[in-house]
């Protein structure tokens, strides 16, 4: 594989530690990266994803879509040739344990990620639930 087709990535976890750096092909999908993150996740962390869908990857303030490739997600501004790209990892475990379990609301506003973590004041089984932030 030609050297210019490889992109060096590291993944910053919630506590400031990293997975990587690891070199990936520009044709690798975000879904493939998430699978690798789940398999390489440090065993000593209290919060850990169980499956790739529990992981959100953020780069340049945007949540990356599973179907996109690394090459499509590279930020063209300020990138140095052969430079290392840091992607932030957010773990959003699948909901389904308890009705009153904490739910997360992801909002994208003008390409920036805003995360609010509301909690449910009443039964959280439908649209009539009362939420407080």
């Amino acid at each position: 594989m030609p050297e210019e087709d490889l992109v060096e990535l590291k993944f910053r976890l919630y506590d400031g530690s990293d997975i990587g750096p690891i070199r990936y092909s520009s044709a690798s999908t975000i879904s493939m990266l998430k699978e690798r993150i789940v398999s390489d996740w440090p065993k000593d962390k209290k919060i850990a994803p169980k499956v790739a869908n529990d992981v959100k990857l953020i780069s340049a303030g945007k949540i990356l879509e599973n179907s996109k490739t690394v090459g499509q997600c590279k930020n063209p501004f300020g990138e140095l040739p052969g430079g290392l790209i840091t992607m932030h990892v957010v773990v959003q475990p699948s909901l389904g344990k308890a009705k009153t379990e904490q739910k997360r609301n992801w909002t994208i506003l003008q390409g920036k990620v805003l995360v609010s973590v509301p909690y449910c004041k009443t039964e959280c089984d439908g649209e009539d639930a009362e939420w407080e932030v």
Side-chain angles (χ1 to χ4, degrees):
M1 177 173 300
E3 187 72 21
E4 65 268 3
D5 286 346
L6 295 177
V7 179
E8 192 167 24
L9 302 174
K10 73 176 177 179
F11 304 101
R12 178 72 36 98
L13 307 182
Y14 64 90
D15 64 353
S17 62
D18 295 327
I19 295 176
I22 304 168
R23 299 185 89 145
Y24 292 93
S25 163
S26 293
S28 298
T29 63
I30 298 305
S31 183
M32 292 166 64
L33 299 183
K34 289 179 178 185
E35 291 289 340
R36 176 78 184 258
I37 289 168
V38 171
S39 68
D40 289 355
W41 195 267
K43 304 298 181 218
D44 62 336
K45 303 291 182 208
K46 290 182 182 179
I47 299 171
K50 291 181 176 58
V51 294
N53 281 339
D54 291 349
V55 174
K56 302 286 185 212
L57 281 181
I58 301 172
S59 182
K62 295 180 182 175
I63 297 175
L64 305 179
E65 297 175 32
N66 287 341
S67 61
K68 298 282 186 182
T69 65
V70 171
Q72 292 171 320
C73 295
K74 287 188 347 184
N75 186 3
F77 303 107
E79 188 176 309
L80 300 172
L84 178 67
I85 297 172
T86 301
M87 293 184 177
H88 295 267
V89 179
V90 176
V91 177
Q92 182 183 17
S94 302
L95 299 176
K97 292 182 183 173
K99 288 184 179 180
T100 57
E101 184 177 58
Q102 191 177 46
K103 295 186 178 185
R104 289 166 179 81
N105 181 25
W106 293 84
T107 306
I108 300 177
L109 178 63
Q110 294 180 349
K112 299 297 179 191
V113 177
L114 307 172
V115 180
S116 61
V117 184
Y119 64 91
C120 187
K121 291 171 43 177
T122 61
E123 282 293 312
C124 296
D125 59 354
E127 296 175 10
D128 296 332
E130 288 184 52
W131 292 90
E132 182 125 348
V133 178

